Amino acid sequence: MSDDMRVAVVREPGGPEVLRLERRPIPMPDADQVLIRVEAFGINRSEMFTRQGHSPGVVFPRVLGIEAVGTVTAAPGGQFIPGEKVATVMGGMGRAFDGGYADYVCVPAVQVRGFTSDLPWHVLGALPEMLQTAWGALFRALRLQEGERLLIRGGTTSVGLAAAAIAKAHGAIVGATSRHAASEEIVRGNGADQFFLDTGEIAATVRQRWPNGADKVLELVGTNTLADSLASTCAPGVVCMAGMVGDRWSLADFAPMDVIPTAVSLTTYSGGVEDFHAMPFQDLIDKAAEGSLPVRIGRVFPLDRIIDAHRLMENNAAAGKIVVVTGQTGDTH
């Protein structure tokens, strides 16, 4: 193999154009690390926030990317076999150390999982962080049970679509929102029983269709709709904020006694290495392969079009997971 690689570097915060493709030496792993030949990676909103300069503690220049899939090039500690298919997420990737926006990534072995699959790399690249967030939010944070009514606020996001499919398979009654009426077919196709057109204030509609409201709410829009999502929830229900598609980090003049209904709980989910290992990753990959877990890919780009990938995400125009492949097989239209 060549002794250098391509990386997408952010040297200073800003718009998508601050992502620059450069060449660097391929890193050398130590006994506690794994060197992965990156085949694909999903684009995540948190990476956009880091690129914009909103991630505390991130020092530039930095190679972004909180996830990647590929094959093991080297594992000096013997934790994995060269050539083995693996995925890695979180653990400081793209923040504390350089992440997956590269031909190769060197990560701690403790945050790597092996898997087997014949799915194409661009599909596999969509899965790790998306599935971890959906699974963890549903079952760790919300403790979703069979028969419960789940409202997914932000139903057309990649996590929202995955969560709908997973929750439906678990026996939940699923409702999902979108600001666009045309999205109803998409969310129902991923398992939603109910579609709610999101005007920003849907609590009354939710309570009309579901007496007393939703049992559990997965909030993926963020603080823009959080108060209304809390108002959509029955007691003793739970709301989990796990996304910020609305691009607003905080609540102005937050008054908990006014915003959080009696006996309704508010929690969050951000995920981490332990959560990545806790989810049934191989089982979910197998379900995606057999078609029982729909995976909606928005667009696929080659690495040299990373700016276009970020611009698409910033414009909320993907209608599914944005994936980057390190080969030249990405979508060029």
Side-chain angles (χ1 to χ4, degrees):
M1 69 180 182
S2 172
D3 59 359
D4 68 353
M5 64 177 183
R6 298 171 301 162
V7 297
V9 182
V10 173
R11 295 196 167 274
E12 59 183 9
E17 67 280 355
V18 301
L19 286 155
R20 301 291 178 87
L21 215 60
E22 300 180 4
R23 299 203 77 90
R24 286 188 181 178
I26 297 172
M28 298 295 293
D30 61 30
D32 296 321
Q33 296 176 317
V34 177
L35 179 65
I36 300 170
R37 171 67 173 95
V38 177
E39 296 289 348
F41 56 85
I43 299 289
N44 298 281
R45 211 157 190 85
S46 65
E47 295 155 358
M48 182 184 78
F49 295 142
T50 300
R51 189 204 76 218
Q52 293 170 338
H54 300 311
S55 294
V58 172
V59 177
F60 297 103
R62 177 61 69 218
V63 178
L64 303 184
I66 65 170
E67 66 175 319
V69 296
T71 56
V72 173
T73 297
Q79 302 93 335
F80 296 91
I81 302 168
E84 185 176 355
K85 291 183 178 180
V86 292
T88 183
V89 301
M90 302 298 284
M93 284 180 68
R95 293 170 179 161
F97 58 88
D98 287 337
Y101 286 20
D103 288 321
Y104 292 85
V105 65
C106 187
V107 299
V110 294
Q111 66 183 70
V112 179
R113 291 189 69 173
F115 65 87
T116 59
S117 179
D118 293 326
L119 284 170
W121 284 115
H122 75 275
V123 176
L124 292 167
L127 300 181
E129 179 63 14
M130 178 178 73
L131 292 179
Q132 184 215 189
T133 303
W135 182 271
L138 290 176
F139 299 114
R140 184 180 178 202
L142 288 173
R143 300 180 293 278
L144 184 68
Q145 300 296 316
E146 182 179 355
E148 288 186 323
R149 297 165 299 183
L150 170 72
L151 175 65
I152 302 173
R153 197 82 183 249
T156 57
T157 62
S158 60
V159 172
L161 291 167
I166 293 170
K168 182 65 175 178
H170 192 67
I173 301 163
V174 180
T177 76
S178 173
R179 293 175 298 164
H180 307 289
S183 298
E184 179 172 1
E185 183 179 353
I186 295 172
V187 300
R188 287 189 182 275
N190 268 58
D193 303 289
Q194 293 278 344
F195 172 76
F196 297 94
L197 184 63
D198 201 338
T199 62
E201 296 182 358
I202 63 170
T205 303
V206 172
R207 289 178 172 277
Q208 183 180 31
R209 295 194 202 171
W210 289 343
N212 299 319
D215 298 299
K216 305 287 172 65
V217 179
L218 177 55
E219 175 59 79
L220 298 171
V221 176
T223 57
N224 295 1
T225 55
L226 182 58
D228 189 63
S229 289
L230 286 160
S232 302
T233 310
C234 68
V238 183
V239 176
C240 172
M241 182 168 156
M244 287 178 285
V245 179
D247 295 344
R248 201 173 82 186
W249 289 74
S250 59
L251 287 166
D253 302 319
F254 178 57
M257 295 290 287
D258 296 335
V259 175
I260 305 176
T262 299
V264 171
S265 299
L266 172 61
T267 188
T268 64
Y269 180 80
S270 57
V273 173
E274 290 184 3
D275 298 298
F276 179 48
H277 282 286
M279 76 164 171
F281 190 43
Q282 184 65 59
D283 180 61
L284 293 172
I285 290 174
D286 293 342
K287 285 182 167 56
E290 69 188 25
S292 60
L293 175 57
V295 177
R296 188 170 181 84
I297 306 295
R299 290 278 296 276
V300 180
F301 293 91
L303 181 59
D304 60 10
R305 292 189 60 204
I306 189 69
I307 291 174
D308 294 331
H310 262 246
R311 188 169 288 124
L312 184 69
M313 177 175 58
E314 202 159 278
N315 293 334
N316 294 320
K321 186 75 172 182
I322 303 170
V323 179
V324 172
V325 293
T326 55
Q328 301 301 313
T329 57
D331 175 1
T332 58
H333 65 267

